[in-house]
Amino acid sequence: MKKFKVVSAALAATLLLTSCGGGDVSTGGESGEKTEYTISDKPVELTLFYVTDPKLEDTEVWQEIARLTNVSLKTVSPSSADAAQALNTTIMSGDIPDITVYGDAKSFANQYGPEGAFARIDELVEKYNCENLKKQLNRPEVHSYVIAPDEHIYYMCGVNPKTVAAGWFIRQDWLDKLGLESPKSVDDYYNVLCAFRDNDPNGNGKKDEVPYFSRFSTPYDLTALWGGFTDWNQQDGKVFYGPKMEEYKTSLKNIAKWYKEGLIDKEIFTRGGKSRDKLLGDNVGGSTHDWFGSTAQFNDMLKDKVPGLHLKAFAPPTGKEYSIRDVAISQGAMIGANSKNLEAAIKLLDFSFSEKGCKFANFGIEGKHYDMEGDYPKFQDWVVHGDKTAINILQESGACTAFPYLQDFRYEEQWMNDDANEGAQLYLNNNYLVEKFPALSYSKEDYDKFNKIMTDIKTYVQETSQQWVFGSKDVDATWDEYVATLDKFGLDEAMQIQQKAYDKYMEFAKNQE
């Protein structure tokens, strides 16, 4: 293992000589009991960094996993702390546990993995023939996301299904009161928002309605209504930067118009994550673009405070929805390079992506949290309708954690209410979902150069776009200057890097066919 830069020479030397996970066989699992999922003939205890409460080893799911695999966990990180600070301290100490689970594992893995702190997952997968992990890493969306600039993989991410995430919601109770139909086009949507602004649908005699709002601190979900993109995309294999395109110009002109006319929340840039709670709770919010499950849940949460409240999903006005779920996510697990339990650690990760491991991770324990109805894992009633949310119950049991696994959408659809499920099915059944532009991988040189260029560009785009929305700058009058400034910052060079990375991604995808 190379000495990595964050530790002193003395600590680095110590790191070379000591085991991070303790090599002796410990008391994990039950000696002598073998199952089809057994990883080690002898009990193995893996040390774990994961700032969470409860500790995984104290949960019934992970105790059952330990029984089946003969591999148990022992948390060595604080249960309540600033996770980033705690992880930095751990890395500085050189005493890196067998497995590290962290919400932004990607950045830590790609920084410290090449310096020798974390094992190469790709090499371990091949050495120990981990077929479940190999299957996921052969998916272009996953492989491109986790691979580091040095062409190795130092962490395994969580993996989501390619499915619906967010959609358009509108107050059906307000539509009914005003005798309006759900919008079917951008013009319809504009007219409905105007009616919400002008015709007092909340019935309080005040012109206090907020026709469109968002908890994401920008109005830029609306760019999709005019074919605009806020980041990179591609057409026919050629990459482009959305904020430089004419469609973005058209989008911002219309968003500025809607903002000036009072159709968009005046505090949209500052109100933040509580926008839904505040505006729906005050019975003034009319429409938004947001996640299905959490948004439709307000129909239940506010039924007493706002009688008749009915947020209902409607089809995207353009017939296209771009906010499908990211397949690969930044949270995941790393394996200490100096662990004496490398085989057990990688095989435990592999088990987590097996059919059995994924059922544990998504649904808990069969017979307690769910039962199989044919091929469908059906939650027991107490999980979905208990005194806590389903996700809280599952997390307390050791399921639905940041320990990486393949998410099964069937876990979520069971605790979403009827409005959420109806909306999700509307988008799925009508093929509204559009493929996302993938996360790409770069060489170290290209990565550094691309990030330097795009840091300046993104700041400039954000500042200028906000000025356009507020009306302090006119889109038409300043567009040419804006485009010239993007070019001055080096956008053409960034585009060349992006095209090369996209071509590499497509070549990998073709080789997997």
Side-chain angles (χ1 to χ4, degrees):
M1 172 184 126
K2 297 184 295 182
K3 180 181 75 175
F4 53 97
K5 300 172 186 175
V6 294
V7 297
S8 67
L11 283 174
T14 302
L15 196 61
L16 287 165
L17 297 172
T18 59
S19 164
C20 303
D24 294 337
V25 170
S26 64
T27 58
E30 296 187 21
S31 182
E33 180 183 355
K34 288 189 178 182
T35 75
E36 61 181 300
Y37 307 105
T38 296
I39 289 173
S40 172
D41 290 339
K42 296 180 179 180
V44 175
E45 182 179 78
L46 300 177
T47 53
L48 172 71
F49 177 100
Y50 181 20
V51 178
T52 187
D53 188 21
K55 296 177 181 178
L56 291 192
E57 64 266 30
D58 293 335
T59 66
E60 52 196 337
V61 164
W62 283 90
Q63 288 170 0
E64 180 65 7
I65 290 173
R67 185 187 69 80
L68 291 175
T69 63
N70 218 18
V71 175
S72 62
L73 299 173
K74 179 182 179 181
T75 300
V76 294
S77 57
S79 60
S80 179
D82 181 289
Q85 181 179 345
L87 182 52
N88 272 314
T89 301
T90 298
I91 293 173
M92 289 288 288
S93 75
D95 188 19
I96 300 173
D98 294 311
I99 295 178
T100 295
V101 175
Y102 182 61
D104 188 17
K106 179 174 181 173
S107 62
F108 273 87
N110 288 354
Q111 179 177 356
Y112 298 118
E115 295 176 1
F118 301 113
R120 293 174 174 176
I121 297 290
D122 49 324
E123 294 181 354
L124 294 178
V125 165
E126 290 298 325
K127 180 176 181 179
Y128 295 110
N129 195 31
C130 299
E131 291 298 325
N132 299 309
L133 286 174
K134 190 179 299 184
K135 180 179 179 180
Q136 297 304 319
L137 292 174
N138 283 342
R139 297 174 63 181
E141 308 96 326
V142 177
H143 181 271
S144 182
Y145 191 82
V146 299
I147 194 167
D150 69 354
E151 298 293 317
H152 288 288
I153 296 170
Y154 296 95
Y155 93 107
M156 184 59 203
C157 64
V159 181
N160 287 328
K162 275 188 178 180
T163 190
V164 65
W168 297 89
F169 277 85
I170 200 159
R171 289 286 295 272
Q172 183 63 45
D173 53 317
W174 285 9
L175 291 176
D176 294 342
K177 181 173 182 178
L178 300 179
L180 300 172
E181 293 185 356
S182 185
K184 295 180 174 60
S185 67
V186 177
D187 287 342
D188 285 348
Y189 192 38
Y190 172 78
N191 291 331
V192 165
L193 295 181
C194 287
F196 285 177
R197 177 195 63 193
D198 297 335
N199 297 329
D200 193 29
N202 66 12
N204 66 358
K206 302 176 183 178
K207 197 171 182 178
D208 58 355
E209 286 80 4
V210 179
Y212 178 83
F213 64 93
S214 173
R215 66 185 170 105
F216 301 115
S217 298
T218 80
Y220 302 132
D221 278 341
L222 293 169
T223 57
L225 299 179
W226 298 278
F229 293 94
T230 59
D231 210 333
W232 293 94
N233 215 306
Q234 65 83 30
Q235 185 173 15
D236 299 326
K238 299 296 183 183
V239 301
F240 62 86
Y241 186 56
K244 189 182 179 180
M245 309 302 288
E246 284 292 322
E247 291 84 356
Y248 190 78
K249 176 183 178 181
T250 301
S251 300
L252 267 292
K253 285 174 64 175
N254 280 284
I255 291 171
K257 176 179 181 290
W258 286 23
Y259 186 83
K260 183 178 181 180
E261 293 177 358
L263 302 183
I264 297 172
D265 180 17
K266 290 297 184 185
E267 299 179 43
I268 197 164
F269 289 104
T270 56
R271 200 185 297 274
K274 293 296 183 180
S275 295
R276 291 183 306 183
D277 307 70
K278 171 65 175 173
L279 298 178
L280 293 173
D282 290 346
N283 196 23
V284 295
S287 181
T288 192
H289 183 272
D290 209 322
W291 286 69
F292 284 100
S294 62
T295 304
Q297 198 171 30
F298 280 88
N299 293 334
D300 300 323
M301 293 166 52
L302 297 175
K303 63 182 179 181
D304 295 327
K305 184 177 181 180
V306 186
L309 172 72
H310 187 191
L311 274 167
K312 186 174 182 179
F314 66 100
T318 62
K320 296 180 180 180
E321 177 58 49
Y322 296 93
S323 60
I324 65 175
R325 295 175 191 238
D326 292 319
V327 172
I329 55 180
S330 62
Q331 71 182 29
M334 301 162 276
I335 295 175
N338 271 5
S339 169
K340 289 184 179 179
N341 293 311
L342 290 173
E343 181 176 5
I346 195 65
K347 287 187 174 179
L348 186 64
L349 280 178
D350 191 63
F351 171 80
S352 188
F353 282 89
S354 68
E355 181 179 358
K356 184 71 171 178
C358 288
K359 282 183 178 174
F360 276 126
N362 284 282
F363 305 106
I365 297 174
E366 185 175 359
K368 176 165 186 179
H369 299 97
Y370 73 96
D371 299 298
M372 294 302 297
E373 294 186 358
D375 294 330
Y376 195 94
K378 178 75 172 178
F379 282 125
Q380 293 188 5
D381 187 72
W382 72 274
V383 175
V384 180
H385 300 112
D387 57 358
K388 299 179 181 178
T389 65
I391 189 68
N392 284 341
I393 290 172
L394 291 168
Q395 287 176 338
E396 288 176 2
S397 76
C400 300
T401 69
F403 200 98
Y405 63 96
L406 179 63
Q407 190 186 72
D408 188 328
F409 185 62
R410 295 176 297 178
Y411 105 94
E412 188 173 345
E413 68 184 7
Q414 293 183 64
W415 55 259
M416 292 198 310
N417 65 21
D418 290 343
D419 290 307
N421 271 312
E422 182 182 325
Q425 292 305 316
L426 172 69
Y427 278 59
L428 291 170
N429 295 340
N430 289 281
N431 297 317
Y432 295 140
L433 305 185
V434 178
E435 193 82 14
K436 266 190 173 181
F437 188 74
L440 302 177
S441 60
Y442 313 85
S443 68
K444 180 68 164 62
E445 180 183 359
D446 282 350
Y447 179 80
D448 291 342
K449 190 178 298 182
F450 181 78
N451 277 349
K452 184 177 186 301
I453 294 170
M454 291 310 300
T455 296
D456 292 336
I457 285 177
K458 287 182 178 180
T459 299
Y460 177 68
V461 168
Q462 182 182 28
E463 291 174 351
T464 305
S465 297
Q466 192 171 104
Q467 290 170 331
W468 285 336
V469 173
F470 286 152
S472 57
K473 282 187 177 181
D474 179 77
V475 180
D476 283 325
T478 58
W479 180 258
D480 290 343
E481 176 190 355
Y482 163 79
V483 170
T485 304
L486 294 180
D487 292 337
K488 181 181 178 182
F489 278 133
L491 182 58
D492 284 346
E493 185 176 9
M495 194 171 301
Q496 292 172 17
I497 294 171
Q498 197 76 327
Q499 185 68 58
K500 182 170 73 172
Y502 182 75
D503 291 343
K504 176 183 172 185
Y505 173 90
M506 293 304 296
E507 182 180 0
F508 180 86
K510 184 178 181 180
N511 290 337
Q512 303 310 309
E513 292 176 355

